[in-house]
Amino acid sequence: FILTDKEGHNFSIFWVLVSVILGAVAMLCKEQGITILGLNAVFDALVINKLNVLEFIQKLLHKDKSLENAGLLRKGLLFRITLLMSGGASILYIRWRIMGTGPPAFTEVDNPASFADSLFVRAINYNYYYSLNAWLLLCPWWLCFDWSMGCIPLIKSVSDWRIIALAALWFCLIGLICQALCSEDSHKRRILTLGLGFLIIPFLPASNLFFRVGFVIAERVIYLPSIGYCMLFTYGFSLLSKQAKKKKILAVAVLGILLINVMRCALRSSQWRSEEQLFRSALSVCPLNAKVHYNVGKNLADKGNQSAAIKYYREAVRLNPKYVHAMNNLGNILKERNELQEAEELLSLAVQIQPDFAAAWMNLGIVQNSLRRFEQAEQSYWTAIKHRKKYPDCYYNLGRLYADLNRHIDALNAWRNATVLKPEHSLAWNNMIILLDNTGNLAQAEAVGREALGLIPNDHSLMFSLANVLGKSQKYKESEALFLKAIKANPNAASYHGNLAVLYHRWGNLDLAKKHYEVSLKLDPMAPGTKENYNLLRRKLEQLQKKGG
C-alpha cells in the first residue's frame, strides 16, 4: 500500500481506497455523498501539495513540459486523483446499473424551470435558484420542507426584479474567483480556492447542469457546501479583524449573528418535532405551494378534522388544478360526508388527468357503488386492478359490490383474492364468514373462520363472527369461549354481549343470558333485536317463577 514518487516521497494508497469506500457508503445514504471524493482531491491538491491553480492552468494552456514542477506529479498527486476519479466513476456506474440504466422520472411540478422550452428561461431560473441557495446559507430564515409546485414562480423576462439576485451572486463569485487565482498572497489563494472548491463541488449534482433534478430547492443539498461557506466566512472575518479599528464591535456583531442562528436552529428543530408544526411553518414561506396545503390538509384529516382539511385540499387543487392526490383525498372526504356528486366529479377528473391512478379508480368505484351505478363501479374496480395487480383493498370493495348484487360466488372469489394478497385483511375474512353464514353454509363458514383466526389470532371481530357460526351449529361451549374472548378484547361492544346473550338463551343458561342482555342494552339501548329478545326472556323467566311458585 506504500508507493514512492520520482522525488522519493512516500505515500499510502490505503487511505485513498478507504476514502472511495466511505464515499460509496455516503452515496448509499444520499447521492450527494459521492462529491466527497472531489473535496478530497481539492484538499490533496491545494493543502497537501500546495498546487498553484493559476500557474497550473497557464502551463496547461501553453503545453508547458514543466507541469511536474507546478506540483501535479509531486508526492503522487496525479496517481491519487486518478485513483479517486476511477473509484468515483465505478461507483456512479454501479449506481446507474442499480437504477435500471436510466434517470428517475420527474414532472413539471417538481422542477418547472427544467421543463421550460426556452434555454434563456431555463438558464436564468437555474441561476436564480443558485442565488436562493446562497441566500439560505447567508440567512437561513425562509426554510420549507418542500419548494416545488409553484413555490418559486418562474422568471420569464429580464424586467423581473429578481434578476438583481443573480447579478449579486455572480458579482461576489467572480470577485472571489479572481482573488483565489490572481492574489499575490499564496496563503490567501490557497484558502479562497479551497473554500470555493468546498462550496461549489458538493453543489454540482443539484445544479441541473449535468442532469435534471427532482426539486427546485432542497435545503439538504447545501449541507456539504456549508463547509466551504464557513471557511470563506471565517477567513473574511479574520481579514476584517486585522483591518478594523474597533475590533470589539466586529466581535459583538459576529457573536450576535451566531446567537441569532443558534436561536433559528432551535426554532427550526422544534418545528420538526411534529408534522403539523412542520407543514404549517411552510405556509408563510411558500403560500403558493400546493403540496404544502395538501400536507396540512392531510394532517388535519388524519386527526379527524375534515372540515378544515377540505379547505386546504380545495386550495391545493386551486393552486395546482392537476394535483390528482389532492383531488383523490378531497373526493374521499366528500364521499364520507355523503356529498357523492362532487366526489364523483373530482375522482373522475383525477383519473382523466392520470389514467393509471389506481387508488382514485377504486375510490371512484366506491362512490359509483353508493350512487347505485353498479356497472360503472365494477368497471372502475377492474381498471384499478389492471393498473395495480396486487390491490387487496380493491378486491375487497369489488366483493362488497358483488354482495350487493347477490352475486355470492363472485363476492367470495373477490374476498378470497383480497386475503391471498393480504392474509391479515380482517374485513375480507369477516365478510366471507358472514356471507357464508347468511346463506346457510355453516360448515364452510366455520372452516373459513378457523382459517382466518389461524392467521389473525387476536382479531376480536373474527372471534365474534366465528362464535356466531359455532352457536348456530350448536357448538355452544366453543362458541361461548370465543364470545368471552372477544368481549375481553373489546368489552364495550354491545353486539358482542347481545349475541352471547342469545347463545345463552338458546343454550338454556337464562340467568347469564339476562345478564348479558342487560349489559348490551346499557351499552346500546337502541340495539336492534336485543330489546325484543330481552323481553321474551323476561316473560319466560316470569313463567318459570310462577310454575316454581
Side-chain angles (χ1 to χ4, degrees):
F1 285 98
I2 303 296
L3 296 181
T4 305
D5 66 2
K6 292 181 180 180
E7 295 181 3
H9 296 110
N10 293 332
F11 61 91
S12 171
I13 64 170
F14 172 75
W15 293 112
V16 180
L17 294 174
V18 170
S19 174
V20 172
I21 293 168
L22 292 177
V25 173
M27 193 191 70
L28 291 174
C29 300
K30 203 65 187 173
E31 290 86 346
Q32 193 188 11
I34 197 172
T35 60
I36 200 70
L37 301 181
L39 299 187
N40 288 347
V42 170
F43 184 84
D44 195 351
L46 298 177
V47 177
I48 297 175
N49 286 271
K50 299 181 179 178
L51 182 69
N52 187 323
V53 177
L54 182 61
E55 181 186 349
F56 172 73
I57 293 172
Q58 288 173 341
K59 289 188 175 185
L60 189 66
L61 292 173
H62 292 91
K63 298 180 181 179
D64 195 326
K65 294 182 180 180
S66 63
L67 278 173
E68 185 177 339
N69 295 329
L72 181 63
L73 303 180
R74 197 182 305 146
K75 300 180 183 177
L77 174 61
L78 181 61
F79 178 80
R80 290 195 297 276
I81 289 180
T82 303
L83 193 58
L84 285 170
M85 289 176 64
S86 301
S90 301
I91 294 168
L92 286 174
Y93 175 75
I94 293 168
R95 170 67 176 166
W96 180 68
R97 295 286 297 179
I98 291 172
M99 289 175 63
T101 65
F106 300 118
T107 61
E108 186 175 353
V109 295
D110 297 320
N111 186 357
S114 67
F115 286 85
D117 295 328
S118 167
L119 178 63
F120 168 77
V121 172
R122 289 201 300 274
I124 204 167
N125 281 282
Y126 287 160
N127 280 275
Y128 180 58
Y129 297 162
Y130 305 157
S131 66
L132 288 176
N133 279 283
W135 180 249
L136 288 175
L137 277 174
L138 289 168
C139 181
W141 199 255
W142 297 315
L143 299 176
C144 183
F145 71 92
D146 186 273
W147 291 81
S148 64
M149 286 200 179
C151 188
I152 303 172
L154 289 178
I155 297 174
K156 295 183 179 179
S157 71
V158 292
S159 60
D160 195 313
W161 67 269
R162 290 177 292 172
I163 287 183
I164 297 170
L166 283 67
L169 172 69
W170 283 108
F171 176 80
C172 294
L173 277 179
I174 291 170
L176 286 169
I177 291 169
C178 290
Q179 285 292 310
L181 295 177
C182 306
S183 175
E184 295 180 359
D185 186 343
S186 61
H187 178 69
K188 183 178 183 180
R189 285 201 310 269
R190 192 159 55 249
I191 290 292
L192 290 177
T193 307
L194 188 65
L196 285 169
F198 276 39
L199 180 70
I200 294 169
I201 291 173
F203 185 74
L204 288 176
S207 65
N208 287 286
L209 293 176
F210 306 110
F211 47 81
R212 176 184 288 157
V213 298
F215 51 82
V216 176
I217 292 176
E219 291 153 15
R220 62 183 181 275
V221 303
I222 53 177
Y223 178 69
L224 282 178
S226 66
I227 301 170
Y229 162 71
C230 290
M231 291 177 66
L232 294 172
F233 180 87
T234 305
Y235 185 67
F237 172 71
S238 68
L239 291 179
L240 280 175
S241 63
K242 289 176 183 177
Q243 297 176 3
K245 294 180 180 179
K246 298 182 179 180
K247 296 182 180 181
K248 288 185 178 180
I249 295 175
L250 182 63
V252 169
V254 171
L255 286 173
I257 292 170
L258 181 63
L259 180 61
I260 290 170
N261 279 278
V262 168
M263 291 170 62
R264 178 65 179 131
C265 182
L267 174 62
R268 188 60 175 163
S269 297
S270 69
Q271 290 171 344
W272 274 88
R273 289 183 181 275
S274 70
E275 285 188 342
E276 182 181 7
Q277 287 180 297
L278 179 64
F279 296 152
R280 287 191 178 278
S281 70
L283 285 173
S284 59
V285 178
C286 285
L288 300 178
N289 188 336
K291 190 181 285 188
V292 169
H293 291 273
Y294 168 83
N295 279 287
V296 173
K298 188 175 184 301
N299 183 259
L300 289 166
D302 291 342
K303 292 180 177 180
N305 191 349
Q306 291 187 340
S307 299
I310 286 173
K311 183 183 79 170
Y312 286 101
Y313 282 143
R314 287 195 192 281
E315 181 64 9
V317 174
R318 187 190 70 79
L319 291 168
N320 181 6
K322 294 184 179 180
Y323 200 169
V324 292
H325 292 285
M327 293 176 189
N328 180 56
N329 286 18
L330 178 55
N332 267 339
I333 292 180
L334 294 174
K335 174 191 70 182
E336 292 171 12
R337 293 162 72 96
N338 210 34
E339 298 177 33
L340 300 177
Q341 201 65 44
E342 188 181 357
E344 184 184 27
E345 291 172 5
L346 279 165
L347 293 166
S348 297
L349 181 58
V351 296
Q352 285 176 27
I353 296 168
Q354 186 178 325
D356 63 346
F357 192 1
W361 278 113
M362 183 190 75
N363 291 322
L364 178 59
I366 295 170
V367 171
Q368 290 167 336
N369 191 11
S370 300
L371 291 168
R372 306 189 67 77
R373 296 177 189 159
F374 299 122
E375 289 185 10
Q376 293 178 358
E378 183 180 8
Q379 186 178 354
S380 295
Y381 287 141
W382 281 116
T383 306
I385 291 167
K386 182 182 81 172
H387 293 300
R388 189 190 296 180
K389 304 296 183 186
K390 298 179 179 180
Y391 204 172
D393 289 341
C394 194
Y395 276 112
Y396 165 73
N397 285 297
L398 180 62
R400 289 185 60 186
L401 168 67
Y402 288 145
D404 291 342
L405 296 172
N406 292 320
R407 293 166 59 178
H408 296 155
I409 300 300
D410 290 334
L412 290 170
N413 287 334
W415 288 329
R416 175 58 71 176
N417 283 332
T419 59
V420 168
L421 294 170
K422 186 179 178 182
E424 68 277 11
H425 204 303
S426 174
L427 290 172
W429 286 115
N430 254 313
N431 280 24
M432 275 195 283
I433 298 166
I434 293 167
L435 179 58
L436 291 167
D437 181 3
N438 291 340
T439 54
N441 297 306
L442 295 181
Q444 196 177 350
E446 181 181 339
V448 170
R450 292 187 187 281
E451 183 185 357
L453 273 178
L455 293 166
I456 322 171
N458 297 318
D459 191 305
H460 56 80
S461 62
L462 289 175
M463 297 174 198
F464 173 71
S465 297
L466 180 56
N468 284 324
V469 173
L470 292 171
K472 290 179 182 179
S473 301
Q474 297 183 353
K475 297 179 180 179
Y476 297 131
K477 197 70 182 172
E478 195 175 359
S479 176
E480 177 195 27
L482 279 174
F483 272 129
L484 291 173
K485 197 173 179 182
I487 287 170
K488 185 178 180 181
N490 188 14
N492 295 322
S495 59
Y496 289 12
H497 291 278
N499 284 33
L500 177 57
V502 171
L503 176 74
Y504 284 137
H505 200 156
R506 289 176 182 169
W507 199 0
N509 294 336
L510 303 185
D511 290 334
L512 286 172
K514 180 174 180 291
K515 172 189 170 185
H516 283 280
Y517 276 137
E518 289 171 350
V519 173
S520 178
L521 288 169
K522 185 177 179 181
L523 291 168
D524 183 8
M526 306 301 292
T530 304
K531 198 165 187 179
E532 291 80 357
N533 289 334
Y534 180 56
N535 289 332
L536 286 172
L537 177 65
R538 286 181 62 185
R539 284 197 291 271
K540 189 172 183 179
L541 288 170
E542 287 171 2
Q543 289 171 2
L544 289 173
Q545 284 178 354
K546 287 178 182 177
K547 287 179 181 178

